Amino acid sequence: MGPGPSDVSPRVLEALSRPTIGHLDPVFIEFMNDLKGLLQFAFQTDNELTLPVSAPGSAGMEACFVNLISRGDKVIVAQNGVFGGRMKENVERCGASAIMVIDDWGRPVDPQKVEDALKANPDAKAVAFVHAETSTGARSDAGVLCRLAAEHECLSIVDAVTSLGGIDVDVDGWGADAVYSGTQKCLSSVPGISPVTLSQRAQEVIRARQEPVQSWFLDMELVMGYWGDHAQRAYHHTAPVNALYALHETLVALQEEGLENAWARHRRHHRALAAGLEALGLEFVVDEPHRLPQLNCVAFPEQIDEAAVRRQLLADYQLEIGAGLGPLAGKVWRIGLMGYAANQKNVFVCLGALDAVLDQYGGPVEPGRAVAAARDAYSLNG
Ligand SMILES: Cc1ncc(COP(=O)(O)O)c(C=O)c1O
């Protein structure tokens, strides 16, 4: 129950262990088409250029920036946590300049500030932001931010690493141009793959580039030689065949469950977990309307030795929760309820274990209250 990787289901682990076949095997080629369709389903898009980049979420991020941004470009980057900072790094390493729009950690990206930045920088090429900030648990309004970008004739680049599968990621509804995710959060597959989708407009920008993309591996024109048109598929790199089996299986499971049902499941277990955490006296960093159900970031009482609590949870209950990052290091815990791990058993195990361990470390705990609060939340919300 950390901030990812999340638990992988036995069904997906079984898929992972299927025999490895060649990445140009006709069966695998069929499988790739299927996988693209499943990713389009998860992203809610008809984008032809939708594919799993063979590397973790950071590579999806980098793929979007190196393909869309060129030397001398200007990009408006919204930062409200760790990962917006990485977007800035990417922009600058492309030889472009980043116009930073900063919000406090724990707050969503403020659309008004983004609009002001767009007005002040009419030559900006793109707006980049993180939909679900894993460092704080804040959700930003991707629909509004993508619309603002489009109104100012800018591309939108969206980090959906922690959102895909856990909350609504509506690529076509938002009109987003480049969206990347990861397999290890709410998709609950093995880490190491980054689903990416690029709009028609984004593809045109890539085709119109004057300079070659500085990364050979992530150059989408080359990658599409492998992931693109069925008839002409050619070797680009050796696909991580078994990790792709796992991703395929988890997406089939998501399709069986239905996107709305998966989001509702995350919300339901989050409400119970939140009720329990608050009963333990732990305060959410993010205001309720902007909270991510899959990433619960809570502050603990100052006197607590937080690292000792996490060690004890792991040793005695085999339960991992995450520490704070950046300015929130040593101040918060990040408790994940992602994908396959978003279930009632985990909620009760986590609350029961925290109750016992906090009691041991002198936390102001009223034994049993957290589990009771979660139980009440379940009976209220179904
Ligand atoms: C919002 C966000 N973006 C990007 C990344 C980077 O993904 P990865 O660790 O798979 O490279 C993460 C990882 O936690 C993330 O939470």
Side-chain angles (χ1 to χ4, degrees), residues 3 56-59 61 83 86 130 132 134 159 161-162 180 184-185:
S58 305
M61 179 187 282
F83 293 98
R86 291 197 182 177
V130 179
T134 325
D159 180 317
V161 170
T162 284
Y180 58 89
Q184 77 277 26
K185 310 271 189 192

Side-chain angles (χ1 to χ4, degrees), residues 220-243:
M220 279 297 150
E221 298 263 40
L222 301 180
V223 173
M224 282 310 283
Y226 181 54
W227 275 99
D229 183 5
H230 191 183
Q232 297 164 15
R233 216 158 265 178
Y235 169 70
H236 173 261
H237 65 276
T238 307
V241 171
N242 291 64

Side-chain angles (χ1 to χ4, degrees), residues 27-75:
V27 171
F28 195 69
I29 301 267
E30 274 311 314
F31 163 93
M32 287 164 73
N33 285 341
D34 230 46
L35 181 54
K36 271 177 74 172
L38 287 164
L39 286 174
Q40 287 170 323
F41 154 77
F43 275 128
Q44 302 185 85
T45 183
D46 292 329
N47 285 344
E48 179 52 34
L49 189 42
T50 300
L51 75 162
V53 169
S54 302
S58 305
M61 179 187 282
E62 193 144 342
C64 292
F65 284 99
V66 297
N67 282 277
L68 295 174
I69 306 305
S70 302
R71 202 179 302 279
D73 285 344
K74 216 186 229 192
V75 181

Side-chain angles (χ1 to χ4, degrees), residues 20-335:
T20 306
I21 59 174
H23 59 279
L24 287 172
D25 186 301
V27 171
F28 195 69
I29 301 267
E30 274 311 314
F31 163 93
M32 287 164 73
N33 285 341
D34 230 46
L35 181 54
K36 271 177 74 172
L38 287 164
L39 286 174
Q40 287 170 323
F41 154 77
F43 275 128
Q44 302 185 85
T45 183
D46 292 329
N47 285 344
E48 179 52 34
L49 189 42
T50 300
L51 75 162
V53 169
S54 302
S58 305
M61 179 187 282
E62 193 144 342
C64 292
F65 284 99
V66 297
N67 282 277
L68 295 174
I69 306 305
S70 302
R71 202 179 302 279
D73 285 344
K74 216 186 229 192
V75 181
I76 293 172
V77 177
Q79 182 176 7
N80 60 340
V82 165
F83 293 98
R86 291 197 182 177
M87 288 178 148
K88 174 177 189 276
E89 283 272 329
N90 270 272
V91 168
E92 288 171 349
R93 284 171 192 234
C94 290
S97 55
I99 309 296
M100 298 305 291
V101 172
I102 306 285
D103 278 292
D104 287 344
W105 286 49
R107 299 283 310 149
V109 172
D110 182 348
Q112 187 58 56
K113 289 191 196 166
V114 171
E115 187 168 15
D116 293 347
L118 279 162
K119 283 184 182 152
N121 297 277
D123 53 343
K125 182 181 192 180
V127 172
F129 65 91
V130 179
H131 181 214
E133 221 343 309
T134 325
S135 56
T136 65
R139 167 192 197 145
S140 291
D141 192 334
V144 167
L145 295 170
C146 290
R147 199 180 62 234
L148 277 175
E151 279 168 9
H152 291 262
E153 287 172 16
C154 279
L155 295 165
S156 46
I157 302 178
V158 186
D159 180 317
V161 170
T162 284
S163 43
L164 191 65
I167 54 173
D168 191 4
V169 173
D170 186 6
V171 172
D172 286 358
W174 296 342
D177 291 301
V179 185
Y180 58 89
S181 188
T183 44
Q184 77 277 26
K185 310 271 189 192
C186 296
L187 294 180
S188 273
S189 189
V190 290
I193 305 279
S194 179
V196 170
T197 185
L198 294 161
S199 71
Q200 197 60 42
R201 203 154 66 109
Q203 285 188 59
E204 281 156 20
V205 169
I206 296 172
R207 269 190 228 109
R209 284 182 68 99
Q210 302 294 315
E211 269 187 319
V213 172
Q214 71 264 32
S215 163
W216 178 86
F217 184 63
L218 296 173
D219 181 337
M220 279 297 150
E221 298 263 40
L222 301 180
V223 173
M224 282 310 283
Y226 181 54
W227 275 99
D229 183 5
H230 191 183
Q232 297 164 15
R233 216 158 265 178
Y235 169 70
H236 173 261
H237 65 276
T238 307
V241 171
N242 291 64
L244 293 175
Y245 293 161
L247 174 60
H248 183 278
E249 192 64 27
T250 209
L251 290 168
V252 169
L254 182 61
Q255 201 167 44
E256 286 168 5
E257 182 178 17
L259 288 176
E260 281 86 359
N261 291 338
W263 307 330
R265 175 169 52 81
H266 282 83
R267 278 198 304 274
R268 175 166 169 263
H269 297 301
H270 157 75
R271 279 195 293 256
L273 181 70
L277 292 172
E278 282 169 344
L280 284 170
L282 304 174
E283 270 177 40
F284 273 81
V285 169
V286 178
D287 292 341
E288 221 218 291
H290 310 297
R291 267 179 217 162
L292 292 169
Q294 63 271 47
L295 198 288
N296 298 268
C297 186
V298 285
F300 42 76
E302 253 175 37
Q303 75 272 19
I304 300 280
D305 178 349
E306 77 85 19
V309 169
R310 284 187 295 111
R311 272 197 305 276
Q312 191 95 10
L313 288 172
L314 194 56
D316 291 355
Y317 300 90
Q318 294 73 57
L319 179 71
E320 182 199 11
I321 63 169
L325 292 177
L328 295 180
K331 296 184 179 148
V332 300
W333 289 316
R334 292 178 303 143
I335 305 179

